[in-house]
Amino acid sequence: MKSMAMNVSSALFFSSFLVPTRREPRRRAFNPTASSSSISRKEDVVIVGGGIAGLATALSLHRLGVRSLVLEQGDSLRAGGTSLTLFKNGWRVLDAIGVGDELRNRFIEIEGLVMRSVDGRELRSFSFKEEAPGQEVRAVERRLLLETLSSKLPLNSISYSSRVKAIKKQGTGETLLELDDGTQMLAKIVIGCDGIRSPVAKWMGFSEPKYVGHCAFRGLALYPEGQPFKARVNYIYGRGLRAGFVPISQAKVYWFICFNNPSPGPRTDDPSILKKQALELMRNWPSDLLDVLHNTPDDVVIKTPLVDRWLWPGFSPAASTDKVVVVGDAWHPMTPNLGQGACCALEDSVVLAGKLSAALKDGGGEPVEAALRAYSEERWARIFMVTARANLVGSFLQWDNPVVCEFRNNIIIPWFVRLAPFLEHTNFECDLLEPVAST
């Protein structure tokens, strides 16, 4: 039976691969050096994007004594999104950059998880303390995470309403960033942290992220009098449809619904419509899930297509070129099936900062390019594995064949799923970044 399960998993894994077509990076041609009179500002390190990756990279550099400027296209920190789950690798980085304890005090530590079928039957449950000692899991509000990271940066570290319009290399080796408002900024190093649809990654020659065949609703339920749930992740599996919810704090519960769809479908930004669609999908599902949905305000529901990008060796561009480098979703968008998108972005930030600060102290120039290459080489193998694993887990959980779903629920989950091996990808070590004076 174990061999049969492994064969099914192997078949899913290899069927999810597409033979890649070699792509040569297509960057814009070098332009003549911009005249000094047209340059509005010169910076050593510019970070494009003020999300989790961008702010964590800026804070990591700041603690190592390197000043950076973050360009955020919005007029404030991104309030969109609901929540994200951080495992012990994410908390290890937050500890390293000095914000771990502050965030821990705001969010419930999750003690375990339970897996159920649509009829409410429990398939399997785990305790993190018993099955995966040392694991740390908390669901964190994205808004509060961004506010905490930004609060530790020096004043004027973030330039809002700064959308990058064009990227051009200069004959001097620097990079010219043209903003929507006409500002021209010359940077010695550019770090792209501008998300899944990253213009920086596109300029470097990366392909568009690939839609994986399912979409997700997400929301945040409010319980002003206190939420009634145990501190555990609740997963519920159906046919081509799954859902889950997890307490964030005493008054908030994060939830998601993942459903198969042949295409992303039309974009709908009205959260009240999205909530109605979510409730319609779940109309015959367990009552506790429906209670969570009903306690969700209409204005905090979002819908996103799930995408990823496989960094094929020899086919995908490197993470850096000409002192331009990408971090987080800009480099390796992945599906949320392992809860590792934000965790890996945090890992990227602290690894890159460590290598880059050491190179800058050595005088810049070639040491910087070597440091960026070292970051790309060190992170690639881990990122490729996690992206592939997240894709495979999503394929397994989104089965819609009734016979296969019965096999999953009655054989694979109860008899073959083990928590500790499943969470091996959360093992990550990094040193604490002791603060030094910024330069």
Side-chain angles (χ1 to χ4, degrees):
M1 189 65 70
K2 183 175 182 180
S3 176
M4 183 179 183
M6 293 177 63
N7 290 336
V8 171
S9 297
S10 298
L12 277 170
F13 183 82
F14 288 109
S15 67
S16 67
F17 280 74
L18 293 177
V19 177
T21 302
R22 183 172 181 82
R23 292 172 53 91
E24 293 294 334
R26 294 185 296 170
R27 296 186 293 277
R28 299 176 188 176
F30 275 51
N31 291 274
T33 302
S35 65
S36 59
S37 61
S38 67
I39 303 300
S40 305
R41 189 166 181 175
K42 294 184 178 182
E43 296 287 340
D44 287 337
V45 181
V46 172
I47 297 172
V48 182
I52 295 171
L55 296 182
T57 302
L59 182 53
S60 298
L61 288 170
H62 170 61
R63 290 180 68 87
L64 291 171
V66 178
R67 182 189 177 279
S68 65
L69 177 67
V70 179
L71 302 182
E72 168 52 42
Q73 65 182 9
D75 58 7
S76 63
L77 288 178
R78 303 177 196 178
T82 54
S83 173
L84 51 96
T85 303
L86 294 180
F87 290 80
K88 68 176 182 180
N89 51 330
W91 289 105
R92 179 58 181 157
V93 175
L94 294 177
D95 283 335
I97 60 179
V99 297
D101 287 340
E102 182 175 339
L103 286 163
R104 281 187 182 91
N105 293 333
R106 298 186 178 192
F107 304 106
I108 293 174
E109 182 170 7
I110 305 306
E111 298 172 356
L113 62 87
V114 59
M115 303 175 179
R116 291 183 287 162
S117 59
V118 176
D119 60 9
R121 178 169 54 96
E122 183 175 311
L123 307 175
R124 194 72 183 275
S125 64
F126 295 99
S127 162
F128 289 126
K129 183 177 181 180
E130 296 176 0
E131 303 283 344
Q135 185 59 249
E136 181 178 7
V137 184
R138 285 179 171 86
V140 174
E141 285 187 72
R142 183 181 298 272
R143 175 182 61 83
L144 293 178
L145 175 56
L146 294 180
E147 289 175 356
T148 302
L149 292 171
S150 66
S151 70
K152 307 302 180 185
L153 292 172
L155 291 176
N156 302 318
S157 293
I158 307 174
S159 175
Y160 294 105
S161 302
S162 299
R163 181 191 293 271
V164 174
K165 179 181 179 181
I167 306 170
K168 301 175 182 178
K169 289 304 297 183
Q170 301 296 287
T172 60
E174 296 169 305
T175 302
L176 181 69
L177 301 174
E178 296 183 0
L179 309 187
D180 271 355
D181 63 1
T183 299
Q184 291 193 333
M185 184 177 298
L186 203 59
K188 294 180 180 179
I189 300 167
V190 174
I191 305 175
C193 301
D194 45 346
I196 291 174
R197 306 295 176 186
S198 164
V200 176
K202 184 177 181 180
W203 177 82
M204 292 175 67
F206 283 93
S207 62
E208 286 292 315
K210 179 186 173 185
Y211 175 60
V212 300
H214 30 276
C215 299
F217 290 109
R218 296 182 177 95
L220 204 59
L222 304 183
Y223 290 84
E225 304 301 319
Q227 51 84 13
F229 304 105
K230 295 180 180 179
R232 63 183 186 180
V233 184
N234 293 266
Y235 292 122
I236 308 169
Y237 302 128
R239 291 173 46 192
L241 183 62
R242 58 187 158 112
F245 63 91
V246 57
I248 293 179
S249 64
Q250 295 302 328
K252 296 181 181 180
V253 177
Y254 164 69
W255 59 266
F256 73 89
I257 299 167
C258 193
F259 61 97
N260 291 353
N261 214 39
S263 69
R267 178 171 177 170
T268 303
D269 292 325
D270 186 336
S272 63
I273 293 176
L274 297 178
K275 181 179 175 180
K276 290 178 181 178
Q277 293 174 349
L279 282 166
E280 178 64 21
L281 273 178
M282 299 288 105
R283 62 185 181 275
N284 295 318
W285 282 50
S287 59
D288 54 354
L289 174 64
L290 294 177
D291 183 75
V292 170
L293 268 61
H294 283 298
N295 278 279
T296 301
D298 288 348
D299 61 349
V300 293
V301 181
I302 61 174
K303 174 188 172 185
T304 53
L306 302 188
V307 301
D308 62 15
R309 178 192 290 131
W310 292 51
L311 301 175
W312 294 97
F315 294 91
S316 298
S320 70
T321 182
D322 298 326
K323 296 182 183 178
V324 179
V325 62
V326 280
V327 170
D329 285 345
W331 183 26
H332 48 73
M334 64 182 67
T335 57
N337 300 302
L338 298 179
Q340 284 296 300
C343 291
C344 285
L346 290 169
E347 291 181 14
D348 287 349
S349 68
V350 75
V351 172
L352 175 61
K355 295 185 180 301
L356 191 54
S357 65
L360 289 172
K361 291 172 184 176
D362 287 342
E366 176 56 31
V368 167
E369 294 184 358
L372 298 182
R373 288 195 300 270
Y375 155 77
S376 177
E377 292 167 0
E378 177 177 326
R379 295 295 296 157
W380 173 82
R382 175 164 173 76
I383 292 306
F384 186 89
M385 180 275 292
V386 175
T387 303
R389 196 173 191 182
N391 184 293
L392 173 59
V393 168
S395 299
F396 168 73
L397 297 176
Q398 290 299 132
W399 278 336
D400 56 10
N401 181 286
V403 175
V404 175
C405 287
E406 286 295 312
F407 177 68
R408 176 197 64 198
N409 289 358
N410 295 310
I411 302 298
I412 296 182
I413 290 178
W415 295 101
F416 293 97
V417 173
R418 298 290 182 270
L419 193 59
F422 181 76
L423 293 175
E424 285 179 347
H425 57 264
T426 66
N427 294 327
F428 175 77
E429 294 295 333
C430 63
D431 295 327
L432 296 179
L433 305 186
E434 298 295 341
V436 298
S438 293
T439 58

